Amino acid sequence: MSVEPVTTRDHEARTRVQLQLTKTEIEEISEMLLYEELSRARIRDLEEGVRAQRARGSARAVRRWSRVARWAAQRAERYQDQS
């Protein structure tokens, strides 16, 4: 008894069944792909919004820390003058 090695490709070629899709099934698949593309577009929009918000937040943080540093420098200078 001999056994021939069978690759996945060979197995699929032997067992492949021709799929006959009805018009309704094709429409359902198209609708599903449309919803999938819409959800991807929403995700891209959300990611762009988050990036923009981070950029604004970063600029705001820079301004805030600059004010804190200026305040600290003025305070340190004032206390050095008193000594």
Side-chain angles (χ1 to χ4, degrees), residues 17-78:
V17 177
Q18 292 293 329
L19 294 176
Q20 296 295 326
L21 298 176
T22 64
K23 184 178 179 185
T24 306
E25 290 171 332
I26 292 172
E27 288 174 358
E28 288 174 355
I29 291 172
S30 298
E31 186 176 350
M32 180 184 68
L33 293 174
L34 176 67
Y35 284 122
E36 186 176 334
E37 185 58 35
L38 285 172
S39 66
R40 285 187 183 139
R42 286 188 193 116
I43 290 170
R44 280 193 299 271
D45 289 344
L46 286 172
E47 287 173 346
E48 288 174 13
V50 167
R51 274 195 292 273
Q53 188 176 10
R54 283 184 182 160
R56 284 192 307 270
S58 177
R60 192 178 310 129
V62 167
R63 287 191 307 270
R64 182 175 53 242
W65 284 110
S66 296
R67 274 181 285 176
V68 169
R70 190 171 44 247
W71 172 82
Q74 290 170 353
R75 185 176 169 100
E77 189 176 308
R78 192 175 336 133

